[in-house]
Amino acid sequence: MKNTTKWLTGAALSLTLAVPANAQVLFWSTQAAPIEETQKMRENVLAGFEGGVDFQPQEVGPFITRLEAELEAGSGQIGLVGALHGDLSTYADSWADLSGLDLAGITVSDAFLELGKLGTSEQKYLPWMQANYVMAANKQALEYLPEGADINALTYDQLVDWAQAMAEGTGSPKFGFPAGPQGLKHRFFQGFLLPSYAGSTVTKFASAEAEAGWTMFQELWQYTNPASTNYAFMQEPLLTGDVWVAFDHIARLADAFNQQPDNFVAFPAPAGPMGRGFMPVLAGIAIPKGAPDMDASMRLAQFMMQPETQVATLLATNFYPTTDAALPTDLPASAQALGPAITAMTSAPDALPALLPVGLGDLGGQFNQVYTDTFERIILGGQPIRAVLDEQAGTLRSLMEQANAPCWLPDAASEGPCPVD
């Protein structure tokens, strides 16, 4: 996989941003719904679009009600839709193809562009903005990096070696993990560990490859601060020095970088045999096939991907660009540190996105619990990996069948419930 794709198609949909629209484009969105974010989107992000934008963020219920009514009718007033990947994927057949849209050399992650095709040959949505999970390290930890290791291209085996070297060199375990009751540990197993080792979140849950991933994590746990079972936000133990290297959501690391910007570095999650698994919270923009002014909608889609617009969106929403937009130097220290780490991870040659669960409805909590229980039984309880995986696979299989939820990436598409081998 190439690192990035440059949009220089010169195809029929090549448009110029200066052409004025005949009327305001209705931008129907599930994102930037809080009042403060909505105001910033209108005043700081969209005000410069010629022709005007009527930005209308909605809660998911009202958003879906109107969207479905217009899609069913084949026409309506919505000109641009902004929503999370899972919402957009539900209506894949209803979006116009954006493959030929000329973005004048803007560089977007190949992995995200592929997600935006929604399993088709067409570009059904453009990656708009993202949040993510990354690694953070106290600069004191860098002297213990394994020889030849690149912090921006680590493997999990190198992370284990690094954690071991820190523990032996300092006399105490310095790796930290958000394993507390409110920690996001389940997202690590769903979006990072299993995809990196098995290329799967669901189907190969109990595979030999998954077993190898848990074996690695079992070894890593030997060098993990035992207080990790109480950690929810890793920024706190990083600031106290109890932990030198940690994994967490960017929002739960930000304070460490803002309070002590000179003491920490951010970097991508490691890679396993199948690639560099990561779990983006990815929002995209799509255009309904029945949009009232397709040219204006296309121009707005272009506008949303421009570097200046992407940076303005970051400042308005705290979601990061999906492009290689240069970040200004006056951003908060956390944004300056975390943004490049996200870009390095999502544009890596071995990038392997693993989406948030889709189609589980009110069974989402039980789905997450399967991964938490597996962690607690194997890592905390010391139970045999193979026996635990086989038993938990049965629970996972029943949940998928009860929810009738098809597979999502990185698992292959399925007809009917996602299978658990």
Side-chain angles (χ1 to χ4, degrees):
M1 179 184 292
K2 296 178 183 177
N3 286 2
T4 49
T5 293
K6 285 192 180 283
W7 289 67
L8 292 168
T9 61
L13 288 177
S14 177
L15 304 166
T16 59
L17 293 174
V19 179
N22 295 326
Q24 285 193 330
V25 179
L26 175 56
F27 189 166
W28 198 244
S29 174
T30 61
Q31 303 303 297
I35 294 174
E36 182 180 350
E37 292 185 13
T38 299
Q39 183 176 351
K40 289 179 179 178
M41 283 292 295
R42 290 172 176 163
E43 297 178 358
N44 302 337
V45 179
L46 297 168
F49 178 72
E50 293 193 37
V53 182
D54 180 11
F55 180 68
Q56 292 294 335
Q58 305 288 325
E59 296 299 325
V60 173
F63 171 86
I64 290 176
T65 298
R66 176 166 180 175
L67 179 64
E68 288 186 342
E70 293 198 9
L71 294 179
E72 186 174 348
S75 64
Q77 295 305 307
I78 297 173
L80 192 71
V81 172
L84 295 177
H85 171 93
D87 297 322
L88 295 171
S89 64
T90 303
Y91 309 102
D93 294 338
S94 301
W95 308 129
D97 183 12
L98 304 179
S99 298
L101 192 64
D102 185 358
L103 295 184
I106 293 168
T107 304
V108 188
S109 159
D110 270 353
F112 284 168
L113 291 173
E114 189 63 31
L115 291 179
K117 293 180 179 179
L118 297 177
T120 73
S121 60
E122 298 181 351
Q123 196 70 47
K124 294 295 189 178
Y125 75 76
L126 292 177
W128 172 26
M129 58 184 188
Q130 61 164 323
N132 221 307
Y133 302 73
V134 295
M135 304 285 291
N138 188 307
K139 290 181 179 179
Q140 295 179 83
L142 300 182
E143 66 177 281
Y144 295 97
L145 265 173
E147 186 176 353
D150 178 355
I151 195 172
N152 288 309
L154 286 179
T155 67
Y156 279 103
D157 287 341
Q158 288 174 326
L159 177 62
V160 172
D161 291 342
W162 190 11
Q164 180 179 0
M166 284 189 292
E168 294 175 350
T170 66
S172 64
K174 291 296 186 182
F175 180 73
F177 187 71
Q182 303 304 314
L184 296 174
K185 52 188 174 294
H186 54 286
R187 296 305 190 208
F188 174 80
F189 303 122
Q190 295 165 0
F192 293 80
L193 182 70
L194 285 175
S196 295
Y197 276 82
S200 166
T201 295
V202 175
T203 298
K204 295 185 178 180
F205 176 88
S207 64
E209 293 84 357
E211 187 175 359
W214 282 106
T215 300
M216 179 282 300
F217 197 80
Q218 201 172 47
E219 187 175 357
L220 179 61
W221 194 257
Q222 300 177 68
Y223 312 112
T224 299
N225 189 315
S228 290
T229 52
N230 297 317
Y231 294 154
F233 287 60
M234 293 310 302
Q235 58 198 11
E236 296 155 3
L238 282 167
L239 284 168
T240 62
D242 294 332
V243 162
W244 280 6
V245 177
F247 162 91
D248 212 342
H249 189 281
I250 56 173
R252 297 179 175 213
L253 293 169
D255 279 356
F257 290 88
N258 287 332
Q259 290 185 34
Q260 299 178 12
D262 296 331
N263 291 347
F264 299 104
V265 293
F267 55 99
M274 296 299 292
R276 196 168 304 275
F278 66 94
M279 180 174 274
V281 182
L282 180 64
I285 47 176
I287 299 175
K289 290 179 178 178
D293 186 339
M294 187 60 72
D295 285 347
S297 294
M298 290 286 184
R299 286 194 295 276
L300 181 55
Q302 280 183 315
F303 180 83
M304 297 309 297
M305 300 299 290
Q306 300 306 305
E308 300 83 358
T309 314
Q310 289 263 299
V311 171
T313 302
L314 163 63
L315 295 174
T317 66
N318 292 313
F319 269 62
Y320 284 77
T322 58
T323 70
D324 61 346
L327 301 181
T329 56
D330 59 351
L331 283 176
S334 60
Q336 293 185 49
L338 296 169
I342 293 171
T343 300
M345 183 169 64
T346 59
S347 63
D350 53 357
L352 179 60
L355 300 181
L356 287 163
V358 178
L360 294 170
D362 57 6
L363 295 176
Q366 295 181 48
F367 178 84
N368 293 339
Q369 194 62 44
V370 169
Y371 297 83
T372 298
D373 289 347
T374 303
F375 160 72
E376 291 179 350
R377 292 180 61 183
I378 291 174
I379 305 301
L380 303 184
Q383 297 180 30
I385 297 176
R386 171 47 48 200
V388 172
L389 292 182
D390 287 343
E391 187 174 331
Q392 292 294 111
T395 303
L396 181 59
R397 187 178 300 110
S398 296
L399 273 173
M400 300 308 295
E401 292 172 354
Q402 185 179 348
N404 195 31
C407 295
W408 57 87
L409 291 177
D411 285 297
S414 64
E415 297 209 1
C418 189
V420 182
D421 294 343

